[in-house]
Amino acid sequence: MPDTIQFELNGKQVEMPLDSTQSLLWALRTHFNLSGTKYGCGMGYCGSCTVLMDNEPVRSCSITMDDVAGKKITTIEGLASNGKLHPLQQAFADHDALQCGYCTPGMIMNAWGLLLKNPRPTRQQIIDGMEDNFCRCGAHTRIIAAIEAAAKEM
Amino acid sequence: MNDKEENTGHPKDSNKKPAIKRRKFIQIVGGGVAGLYVFFRLGKHFHLWADGSDPEAKLPSDFNAYLHIAEDGTVSCLTGKIEMGQGIITSLAQMLADELDVPIDKVKMVMGDTGLCPYDQGTWGSLSTRAFGPVMLAAAAEARTELLSLAAGYLKRTSGELAVKDGVVFVKNKESEKVSYGQLTRGKRIEKFMDGKAKAKDFSEYKVMGKSFNRRDAIAKVTGEAMYSGDFRVPGMVYAKILRPPSHGATLVKADTSEAAKMEGISLVRDKDLVAVLHENPEKAELALAKIKAEYTFNEMKVDDKTIFNHLVSSSANGEETDSKGDIPSGKNQSAFLFESEFYNSYVAHAAIEPHTALAYTEGDKMVVRASTQSPFGARESIAGDLGIPLEKVHVIPPFIGGGFGGKGEYYQAIEAARLAKLSRKPVMLQYSRKEEFFYDTFRPAAVVKITSGTGKEGNISLWDYKEYFAGSRGSEPLYEAANQRITSYDADNVHPFGTGAWRAPGNNTNTFARESQIDIMASKIGMDPLEFRLKNLKNEQVIAVLKAVADLFGWSPKKAPSGRGFGIACGFDAGSYVAHMAEVKVDTTTGQVQVLRVACAQDMGFCVNPEGAKIQMEGCITMGLGYVLTEEVEFTGGDIKTANFGTYKLPRFSWLPKIDTLILDRKVAPQGGGEPAIICMGGLIANAIFDATGARIYQLPMTPERVLEAMAKNNR
């Protein structure tokens, strides 16, 4: 019998067979069919796979499943509640803070991690906090505006 | 340079009455679906296609897109164009809503699916709005005319007595007498071919166009529900990892797969040079791939990222003169000052955050391929050719696409996935790793531009002898008035050690960098303010207008460069649109680091359909442009591409962001391109700003700290 691990995923307790070679990114995408978390570079550079682990933004491509046991994982699919968009999601839509949208889930999750720690960030703190998330389409200005608006809203 | 034919809304060939075969019609739209159909076809709007071939020749003679007004009043446009972030899913819908007088939420864009949509070459060249848009408007006008005529019969009135609002036709001054588009098409099947007779509205009449709309795909994208190629799953699906050579030009001699084969759940595919491992878990496939021991022979080009520029110039075949006026020797004689410069730019990657991805599986007797591609029909053709099956047996579906920038005009991953699905008889998901993405990217070509120019004592340009090597000719056209000029393009085959291709505004980034730098070099020597020098030598009113607009927006005050202020200026023309930029930079003279503090950009893009959408594109162009200007450069030795991930390939980041101000000139003429123009000036703009700050001129992109320091040292000597 393979070992299993338990953790909390988007507010629910889940269990899966432990495979130490598996990353959180691909466990989410294949085992749990949560495809909102994206593969971008596989080495933690780009941030398109960002999720929250115990409310801390992490690069899910660089986290192995050993490290997930007992943790609380939040993905983009776990943000909206009761059919209502999370203020960050709403703000990203309202501010056109995306183009191709591929980096967007990672951007929003990273921003959410930032706001959880610092609900009233300055513009400079937002820039510093988002620095390692890449957007190739160049939606940066609007992403900052969206995060500022969401922070005000919350 | 402004192609008049391109600006006309109605293609000249729309008078042809193409005979559509009934069988083909049924095949595309299906039988039995009621409603009004208007079929239309793009005319000669494809001359900007990046590879220079004539895709017009490939267009079906009957139609390549159509509108459908359904019984419930829904207006659908079925087109082979795709959405990759540029926003046409919104702006094309606005155009239809406006021409047909229906609410925008009644408009559905069905895009790129080769099983549903008629043939289209692909989505590039900022062509969707300016080339496809007007033809689509004309088709909508035809649909409107037909609906009005149906309504006239139904209401027993003449068309002239009728008006339309929100998809309901009513009698003017008697709104109770009305009938909806849906009612009019109910139970009927009307098929029309656009004949170009129905006149689209005048630009002054549009109400939905010209207004800003939020992206229609935003909610799907912020919730993670938007499906990209890698997000689909089908029963029995396996992930593929393919054995890749260590460099371009390497040939596989031997591959020992015995260790990989021992892994549980792995299946191996081997077909000639194609060696792949399949597993339901992509990371297991990756581990298996690492166990394959392969041997290669090497036959690489002896060139690297340092020697490439000499290699390019010495490999160039005969030049093609694309433009000339006066003669070069007299130009030299007439010049009080002569300027000779050489400009260089390195290979640049597309680096979309979504790598090339494809899922291939069989459905009945068809090969279905969901692929991130800007060219679904091109992919269909190549897959059919590769598998040796008829075109109709391949169905390509491009779902949401995570950035293209020209790079997803290539679709090799779709062919590979289909081949693996056929060989393994399993549904195969193939997503390139970031390393593969860099390896197989078709880079913006490294290029050299040599300019010899001259001016009279008063600053009038007397000579412009322009030679571009491998940049591509787009953007090399003369912008300024020169008494004597010659433009020559040099090209040759098999010069690059790896693939190159179209990169957002192909050719124009290199050419505008060179031209706008040279203009400032001359202005500085003459001792004239660079804006004033430009205005003195320009006749084109559209460029003059954007320059004046950006000067206002930026708050430009005339001063000869280098002024120490760090102000830069550049202007250009791309995809039918005119742009002018101004910037302010700060240069750290100890480290050579350049921080761009602000960028202002004015753009004349004709009628702007979705102003906010267009501004997003301008901001995106400016931000993306900072990358190739300051850091982005592919490192290689022969066919061995050293750049494998974002650790060494530096994309623009949040901390780089300048304050960006954009302005779109209000024009009531045919819409032009918006996805590319605002990126072309970035090289010249920042080079000129660095010169203004430091007095050091940089001739090579990207302008890395080392190159800035080197130029400053040279300047101080």
Side-chain angles (χ1 to χ4, degrees):
Chain A
M1 276 293 282
D3 290 339
T4 60
I5 52 161
Q6 287 93 32
F7 60 99
E8 188 189 314
L9 177 58
N10 293 333
K12 283 188 197 127
Q13 277 304 124
V14 295
E15 190 178 274
M16 69 175 287
L18 173 64
D19 177 350
S20 308
T21 64
Q22 194 163 34
S23 66
L24 174 56
L25 167 67
W26 287 105
L28 290 170
R29 292 182 57 81
T30 59
H31 190 83
F32 296 102
N33 204 14
L34 293 174
S35 59
T37 306
K38 306 297 186 199
Y39 170 91
C41 73
M43 291 180 82
Y45 291 116
C46 76
S48 63
C49 66
T50 305
V51 299
L52 296 191
M53 186 155 83
D54 289 347
N55 286 342
E56 196 62 43
V58 293
R59 303 291 158 101
S60 64
C61 73
S62 307
I63 302 271
T64 55
M65 290 313 287
D66 293 315
D67 299 328
V68 178
K71 297 286 195 327
K72 185 180 133 189
I73 303 295
T74 315
T75 71
I76 190 72
E77 291 89 350
L79 271 197
S81 60
N82 304 321
K84 195 173 181 296
L85 292 182
H86 185 277
L88 271 167
Q89 292 174 314
Q90 191 62 55
F92 268 63
D94 291 345
H95 286 78
D96 283 325
L98 57 96
Q99 291 176 38
C100 82
Y102 195 80
C103 73
T104 309
M107 287 283 176
I108 292 177
M109 295 316 294
N110 198 67
W112 181 219
L114 179 71
L115 294 187
L116 282 171
K117 254 185 290 189
N118 179 2
R120 289 277 175 279
T122 62
R123 188 184 160 85
Q124 189 56 48
Q125 284 169 331
I126 293 174
I127 290 171
D128 294 344
M130 299 301 292
E131 180 69 355
D132 293 333
N133 279 62
F134 297 166
C135 166
R136 186 51 157 170
C137 300
H140 301 70
T141 330
R142 287 163 196 265
I143 292 172
I144 296 171
I147 298 171
E148 283 178 322
K152 247 179 231 153
E153 179 80 12
M154 282 154 58
Chain B
M1 76 170 70
N2 198 347
D3 187 331
K4 289 288 181 258
E5 181 176 63
E6 187 197 333
N7 288 342
T8 61
H10 308 272
K12 288 192 176 118
D13 59 352
S14 63
N15 292 330
K16 277 189 221 156
K17 295 261 189 192
I20 183 165
K21 292 191 181 74
R22 184 77 192 162
R23 191 182 60 79
K24 186 177 173 191
F25 174 82
I26 299 281
Q27 185 191 313
I28 290 178
V29 303
V33 181
L36 166 64
Y37 293 84
V38 178
F39 300 90
F40 58 103
R41 176 181 187 274
L42 267 71
K44 301 183 190 314
H45 295 282
F46 285 99
H47 60 283
L48 279 176
W49 203 28
D51 77 354
S53 67
D54 178 20
E56 164 75 6
K58 285 195 200 166
L59 268 183
S61 63
D62 42 25
F63 65 94
N64 79 323
Y66 67 96
L67 301 179
H68 175 224
I69 291 98
E71 292 174 297
D72 66 353
T74 303
V75 175
S76 302
C77 176
L78 289 93
T79 165
K81 298 279 173 223
I82 57 99
E83 171 66 39
M84 55 182 155
Q86 81 279 39
I88 56 172
I89 195 171
T90 308
S91 58
L92 291 177
Q94 276 179 260
M95 295 171 90
L96 278 178
D98 216 343
E99 192 65 51
L100 276 161
D101 289 310
V102 295
I104 193 166
D105 55 16
K106 281 278 191 190
V107 180
K108 223 168 86 183
M109 295 300 302
V110 181
M111 304 174 81
D113 185 323
T114 67
L116 297 172
C117 306
Y119 179 90
D120 188 276
Q121 285 88 354
T123 307
W124 45 63
S126 295
L127 285 162
S128 298
T129 307
R130 66 191 169 118
F132 181 73
V135 192
M136 186 189 70
L137 279 180
E142 186 134 338
R144 194 174 190 278
T145 307
E146 177 66 20
L147 288 160
L148 275 172
S149 134
L150 287 171
Y154 183 93
L155 297 170
K156 301 192 172 40
R157 298 275 186 162
T158 62
S159 296
E161 292 174 274
L162 305 176
V164 192
K165 197 184 168 199
D166 292 342
V168 177
V169 188
F170 58 92
V171 179
K172 289 175 194 164
N173 305 322
K174 200 172 178 198
E175 293 195 21
S176 56
E177 275 185 51
K178 61 183 179 182
V179 60
S180 72
Y181 283 174
Q183 279 172 288
L184 289 169
T185 61
R186 206 155 291 164
K188 297 193 185 87
R189 182 164 175 127
I190 306 157
E191 297 158 17
K192 299 270 293 175
F193 284 91
M194 189 178 88
D195 58 15
K197 281 179 196 152
K199 201 179 164 316
K201 291 179 183 176
D202 187 81
F203 284 108
S204 62
E205 294 174 73
Y206 289 119
K207 297 187 187 83
V208 185
M209 286 165 61
K211 263 208 292 208
S212 289
F213 279 78
N214 277 127
R215 298 187 59 93
R216 306 180 92 201
D217 54 5
I219 301 299
K221 288 177 174 177
V222 300
T223 53
E225 282 163 19
M227 297 288 276
Y228 299 80
S229 299
D231 299 338
F232 291 87
R233 290 167 70 76
V234 290
M237 184 180 103
V238 289
Y239 288 84
K241 291 286 165 188
I242 299 176
L243 181 69
R244 301 300 187 188
S247 61
H248 292 271
T251 311
L252 183 64
V253 181
K254 210 164 92 183
D256 174 1
T257 55
S258 55
E259 287 301 309
K262 286 179 194 159
M263 280 180 67
E264 201 189 330
I266 281 287
S267 48
L268 279 163
V269 177
R270 184 133 198 204
D271 180 40
K272 294 172 207 133
D273 279 357
L274 176 69
V275 181
V277 288
L278 309 175
H279 196 283
E280 62 182 28
N281 175 336
E283 287 164 304
K284 289 278 189 272
E286 188 81 61
L287 289 173
L289 181 70
K291 288 181 195 282
I292 299 178
K293 293 181 201 81
E295 286 171 30
Y296 296 87
T297 52
F298 293 89
N299 181 23
E300 291 176 25
M301 270 187 204
K302 300 275 175 287
V303 61
D304 61 30
D305 42 53
K306 307 282 181 303
T307 59
I308 184 68
F309 302 110
N310 280 335
H311 168 74
L312 290 179
V313 173
S314 62
S315 314
S316 60
N318 291 336
E320 189 197 343
E321 221 172 278
T322 56
D323 205 318
S324 75
K325 191 169 100 182
D327 74 281
I328 299 305
S330 359
K332 282 188 178 163
N333 289 336
Q334 289 159 25
S335 299
F337 304 101
L338 278 176
F339 306 85
E340 273 187 57
S341 314
E342 286 189 29
F343 299 92
Y344 312 94
N345 78 224
S346 306
Y347 292 99
V348 179
H350 295 90
I353 307 295
E354 179 202 30
H356 284 69
T357 308
L359 165 64
Y361 54 98
T362 49
E363 209 171 67
D365 62 347
K366 279 192 176 171
M367 177 64 72
V368 181
V369 185
R370 295 184 183 270
S372 50
T373 173
Q374 293 174 234
S375 180
F377 289 87
R380 179 181 65 164
E381 204 176 317
S382 299
I383 291 165
D386 193 84
L387 302 187
I389 56 175
L391 216 50
E392 304 85 68
K393 301 288 181 209
V394 182
H395 181 183
V396 177
I397 311 168
F400 279 115
I401 292 162
F405 317 111
K408 285 182 182 147
E410 306 291 332
Y411 37 74
Y412 195 56
Q413 93 283 10
I415 303 171
E416 288 182 328
R419 193 184 292 169
L420 288 171
K422 186 188 173 193
L423 290 167
S424 70
R425 298 171 183 276
K426 289 177 186 167
V428 170
M429 172 69 81
L430 176 64
Q431 179 164 53
Y432 280 6
S433 69
R434 183 52 58 184
K435 188 177 178 186
E436 287 173 294
E437 191 66 18
F438 275 111
F439 189 78
Y440 285 112
D441 195 8
T442 45
F443 300 123
R444 186 174 89 188
V448 177
V449 176
K450 296 184 182 187
I451 310 177
T452 305
S453 66
T455 68
K457 284 199 185 81
E458 309 300 319
N460 54 308
I461 302 174
S462 40
L463 173 69
W464 187 255
D465 190 10
Y466 187 97
K467 295 171 179 163
E468 64 86 2
Y469 299 80
F470 300 95
S473 63
R474 183 161 150 188
S476 67
E477 311 87 346
L479 188 68
Y480 298 89
E481 302 297 321
N484 304 283
Q485 68 191 22
R486 179 170 67 184
I487 312 285
T488 320
S489 281
Y490 293 86
D491 207 348
D493 293 331
N494 305 318
V495 168
H496 303 288
F498 31 67
T500 61
W503 194 100
R504 200 171 195 173
N508 215 335
N509 290 292
T510 308
N511 287 316
T512 301
F513 163 59
R515 184 191 62 235
E516 292 301 299
S517 296
Q518 185 78 354
I519 291 291
D520 263 43
I521 290 168
M522 296 194 287
S524 172
K525 173 77 184 176
I526 300 291
M528 201 182 271
D529 168 67
L531 171 62
E532 194 189 328
F533 182 80
R534 280 174 173 77
L535 293 174
K536 184 182 175 75
N537 286 289
L538 280 167
K539 267 193 190 147
N540 183 306
E541 284 175 11
Q542 282 176 285
V543 200
I544 293 172
V546 285
L547 273 170
K548 287 182 172 168
V550 79
D552 277 349
L553 184 67
F554 182 84
W556 183 269
S557 55
K559 224 169 194 179
K560 143 186 196 313
S563 73
R565 299 179 297 184
F567 284 7
I569 173 176
C571 54
F573 169 81
D574 186 74
S577 296
Y578 289 86
V579 282
H581 293 57
M582 286 182 173
E584 180 181 356
V585 304
K586 204 173 100 190
V587 181
D588 184 326
T589 51
T590 344
T591 63
Q593 198 75 39
V594 176
Q595 178 82 34
V596 181
L597 302 175
R598 57 184 178 124
V599 174
C601 175
Q603 179 164 297
D604 174 354
M605 58 190 304
F607 191 102
C608 177
V609 177
N610 183 359
E612 211 55 31
K615 286 185 166 194
I616 297 172
Q617 287 297 307
M618 292 165 75
E619 292 163 17
C621 279
I622 289 164
T623 309
M624 186 179 186
L626 290 178
Y628 81 74
V629 168
L630 296 176
T631 51
E632 289 179 37
E633 157 169 47
V634 174
E635 292 173 1
F636 66 96
T637 307
D640 180 7
I641 294 169
K642 308 282 187 196
T643 302
N645 213 316
F646 296 127
T648 49
Y649 195 84
K650 305 280 189 192
L651 298 188
R653 292 167 177 243
F654 280 90
S655 64
W656 298 21
L657 262 199
K659 179 179 180 295
I660 300 175
D661 292 303
T662 55
L663 177 86
I664 296 169
L665 272 60
D666 185 18
R667 299 269 194 233
K668 296 284 186 274
V669 292
Q672 300 297 326
E676 301 169 295
I679 198 170
I680 61 169
C681 291
M682 294 306 292
L685 175 72
I686 304 304
N688 291 341
I690 293 172
F691 176 80
D692 190 54
T694 63
R697 172 61 56 184
I698 302 172
Y699 295 89
Q700 182 170 358
L701 296 178
M703 297 180 281
T704 57
E706 299 75 53
R707 288 185 188 132
V708 173
L709 288 178
E710 200 183 308
M712 282 171 47
K714 207 170 157 192
N715 185 44
N716 292 335
R717 248 179 255 147

